[in-house]
Amino acid sequence: MGISVHPADGSDVDMLLKKADAALSFAKAAGGATYRFYTPEMTAQAVKAVALDRDLRQALQRHEFRLHYQPLYDALSERIVGAEALIRWQHPERGFVSPMDFIPLAEARGLIGPIGEWAFNEACRQGQAWRKAGLPNIPIAVNVSPAQLRDRTFINGGARSLRDGKCAPNAGHLEITESGAMERGEETIGMLREFKAMGLGLSVDDFGTGYSSLSHLNRMPIDKLKIDRSFVKGLPGDGDDAAIVTAILDMAKALKLKVVAEGVETRAQFDFLKANGCDKIQGYLFGKPLAPDDFMALARQQRALAA
Ligand code: C2E
Ligand code: MG
Ligand code: MG
């Protein structure tokens, strides 16, 4: 139920109904079966959402997206063995807008298709540019939203890029969230198998946060599980987190999957993960997401150290 109050919220029926309606949409967004009183903040938020929606539609044409690259480290050698491409939106007035804010909006508004396709092609282009500049082959992982697997547009575009040589197959990797990977059962498995056959690697992102069916997981052609940051956070002291993380590591070993831990921020977390057999590490302890040039400098520096 949405509630507006006379005379504070308006003096005529139209205005009061409008505001009650705004309050109603907030009550619905809170999960329904509840009520909200209208506040002016609701109008401000709605106006902001409409503007963001409009801007998001134009962001691609205006070249406002960038990819940053977070290094992925091998736990034993502590060397860079990959990168994750993370999208950034530089809004002309708002400045940096987090993907946590605009990716869900893009998904809800049906805009994730072209944005996701841009991210994939841009990561391919960057990978080629780095190889041309003499960097060793660093596989780049791109995040894929479940909505991109609902029809064949994304997979067909990816196949085209690979066929046209715009993307090296052994250099590409896709990340799909655990809940996304479990959506639409057989169809998703079928599509993931096609990606795999194209030479792309596959990871399950945010692992531990969804409801995986183990038989489903076992049938998926995946290479890696990425342990969600929320479980890494409490390591090594939190007994529940430690139990969950070691259980995931044991299960992955039995299923012959590699494991990446996300959000590793401290040495103590790293030591725990390494001691329990985690293969790869990603997090602020080793490196934040970097602009392409900074990433290249880091990779170069590492190579120089090794030489
Ligand atoms: P994700 O794929 O799980 O990416 C990891 C997020 O954790 C990134 O946030 C990264 O910056 C952050 N992170 C990495 N290490 C640490 C750490 O040590 N501590 C903390 N506190 N955070 C860390 P970001 O860049 O804000 O991205 C958020 C999410 O947005 C991503 O989560 C991913 O689900 C989504 N996303 C980003 N780029 C794309 C894209 O191109 N397409 C799609 N569909 N989703 C994307
Ligand atoms: Mg990811
Ligand atoms: Mg994640």
Side-chain angles (χ1 to χ4, degrees):
M1 188 193 292
I3 307 164
S4 60
V5 180
H6 177 274
D9 297 332
S11 49
D12 59 82
V13 172
D14 274 356
M15 187 52 81
L16 287 167
L17 277 177
K18 226 183 221 162
K19 292 189 171 168
D21 200 43
L24 177 64
S25 63
F26 278 79
K28 281 185 184 160
T34 185
Y35 61 89
R36 287 288 181 273
F37 280 93
Y38 171 80
T39 64
E41 173 60 18
M42 288 177 177
T43 305
Q45 240 176 294
V47 169
K48 220 170 133 186
V50 169
L52 197 66
D53 191 306
R54 181 201 59 213
D55 293 350
L56 194 56
R57 285 173 197 281
Q58 301 171 341
L60 259 184
Q61 288 89 311
R62 295 186 178 175
H63 307 289
E64 289 168 2
F65 292 124
R66 297 280 178 277
L67 291 183
H68 279 193
Y69 297 87
Q70 186 174 31
L72 205 76
Y73 284 81
D74 179 77
L76 293 179
S77 68
E78 297 189 24
R79 292 172 58 80
I80 298 175
V81 288
E84 177 175 7
L86 293 158
I87 197 164
R88 293 336 186 200
W89 181 14
Q90 196 58 41
H91 188 283
E93 288 112 40
R94 286 167 207 243
F96 172 75
V97 186
S98 164
M100 309 265 252
D101 294 328
F102 75 82
I103 293 287
L105 184 68
E107 284 171 342
R109 296 291 191 274
L111 300 170
I112 193 70
I115 295 175
E117 214 165 304
W118 174 85
F120 180 79
N121 289 323
E122 173 58 17
C124 287
R125 190 202 59 74
Q126 187 64 71
Q128 302 276 47
W130 280 336
R131 277 187 293 280
K132 263 194 204 141
L135 278 196
N137 191 3
I138 296 172
I140 301 177
V142 179
N143 291 283
V144 176
S145 148
Q148 291 173 260
L149 303 183
R150 278 190 205 129
D151 64 46
R152 297 199 54 88
T153 315
F154 180 67
I155 195 168
N156 290 344
R160 223 176 304 120
S161 296
L162 287 160
R163 202 173 48 232
D164 298 348
K166 289 195 182 123
C167 192
N170 56 354
H173 204 97
L174 302 180
E175 291 190 7
I176 174 153
T177 58
E178 184 183 13
S179 45
M182 292 298 143
E183 252 180 45
R184 300 185 328 117
E186 289 308 310
E187 250 173 283
T188 302
I189 292 187
M191 215 177 273
L192 294 180
R193 287 204 173 123
E194 284 186 58
F195 280 119
K196 189 83 197 146
M198 281 154 54
L200 296 170
L202 296 172
S203 293
V204 177
D205 207 351
D206 304 344
F207 190 76
T209 58
Y211 302 92
S212 279
S213 137
L214 293 183
S215 68
H216 195 86
L217 193 66
N218 202 22
R219 294 190 51 240
M220 284 198 301
I222 48 174
D223 310 283
K224 269 189 232 159
L225 299 180
K226 297 189 77 173
I227 303 179
D228 192 65
R229 188 166 79 224
S230 57
F231 305 113
V232 172
K233 220 172 173 179
L235 297 181
D238 184 305
D240 290 342
D241 284 349
I244 290 169
V245 167
T246 46
I248 294 176
L249 287 165
D250 289 345
M251 183 198 67
K253 201 169 172 191
L255 295 178
K256 298 190 175 62
L257 299 172
K258 297 279 178 205
V259 181
V260 184
E262 301 185 300
V264 179
E265 294 182 354
T266 68
R267 263 285 148 186
Q269 290 168 345
F270 172 67
D271 291 341
F272 179 94
L273 288 159
K274 189 175 160 183
N276 285 283
C278 183
D279 308 283
K280 296 185 179 74
I281 301 291
Q282 196 179 345
Y284 296 169
L285 174 67
F286 284 106
K288 292 198 167 179
L290 298 168
D293 286 350
D294 297 330
F295 183 89
M296 186 160 88
L298 183 73
R300 279 227 164 102
Q301 187 190 4
Q302 172 179 287
R303 204 171 49 153
L305 285 176

